[in-house]
Amino acid sequence: DIQMTQSPSSLSASVGDRVTITCQASQDISNYLNWYQQKPGKAPKLLIYDASNLETGVPSRFSGSGSGTDFTFTISSLQPEDIATYYCQQYDNLPGFGPGTKVDIK
Amino acid sequence: EVQLVESGGGLVKPGGSLRLSCAASGFTFSSYSMNWVRQAPGKGLEWVSSISSSSSYIYYADSVKGRFTISRDNAKNSLYLQMNSLRAEDTAVYYCARDRSGSTFDYWGQGTLVTVSS
């Protein structure tokens, strides 16, 4: 099984800050990596697919990069509505999610 | 508008059974693979099972293999999850999710809570 790790597990940042989350796969998954946002009590929402493609309708302050085993998710300017938990998900084999990164406002 | 609406959750005793349903609308259901993803209280997301558009390919997480059965009825635009031999660790919100391609989940339902407790 492919194991996914994320860091940090949580972070606090100020409005307008640049926020970066990393996701690492236990083996090469090419670009088979998605990012989701989940707000409390809500279903997850797809933000980034195929490692770096922005889902339609998602603000451009969200971006993703990486390939192979190391991936990065960035919020270029944190907004209050971005408070959520962010999950990476690989789909190289059976799908699997990272443990999540909780983002809140300092 | 794409909509996925889960139902069938509730309280069940360990060893019991439950059948979840997911009613789909707003898209050609028969053209998409579908999935179940769960989330235990306060925990992360766990993929549970997937079924291809024509039910030809079915996959399960090791944690539910042999106990859960995924199925679909394309005529009724519905997805199902039959859960048997339920355990406390199966307690979670269960989401159905549309698979746009290659396990990219682009639409999710609101979830249904399953609680396994005596």
Side-chain angles (χ1 to χ4, degrees), chain A residues 1 34 36 38 41-46 48-50 55-56 87 89-91 93-100, chain B residues 35 37 39 43-47 50 59-62 65 95 100-111:
Chain A
D1 287 5
N34 300 322
Y36 298 84
Q38 187 180 33
K42 301 294 187 182
K45 174 185 176 183
L46 177 66
I48 303 288
Y49 64 96
D50 296 346
E55 179 70 354
T56 301
Y87 295 92
Q89 175 238 329
Q90 64 79 19
Y91 55 96
N93 195 348
L94 295 181
F97 293 89
Chain B
N35 291 257
V37 177
Q39 186 170 37
K43 303 297 184 183
L45 301 170
E46 180 188 15
W47 171 80
S50 68
Y59 303 97
Y60 297 100
D62 287 344
K65 200 174 294 181
Y95 296 100
R100 180 168 69 197
S101 67
S103 295
T104 292
F105 308 137
D106 62 347
Y107 286 95
W108 299 62
Q110 85 288 350

Side-chain angles (χ1 to χ4, degrees), chain A residues 30-46:
Chain A
S30 185
N31 67 332
Y32 301 144
L33 193 285
N34 300 322
W35 290 95
Y36 298 84
Q37 175 193 65
Q38 187 180 33
K39 296 183 178 181
K42 301 294 187 182
K45 174 185 176 183
L46 177 66

Side-chain angles (χ1 to χ4, degrees), chain B residues 36-57:
Chain B
W36 289 99
V37 177
R38 69 184 180 183
Q39 186 170 37
K43 303 297 184 183
L45 301 170
E46 180 188 15
W47 171 80
V48 172
S49 182
S50 68
I51 185 168
S52 62
S53 58
S54 60
S55 304
S56 298
Y57 300 98

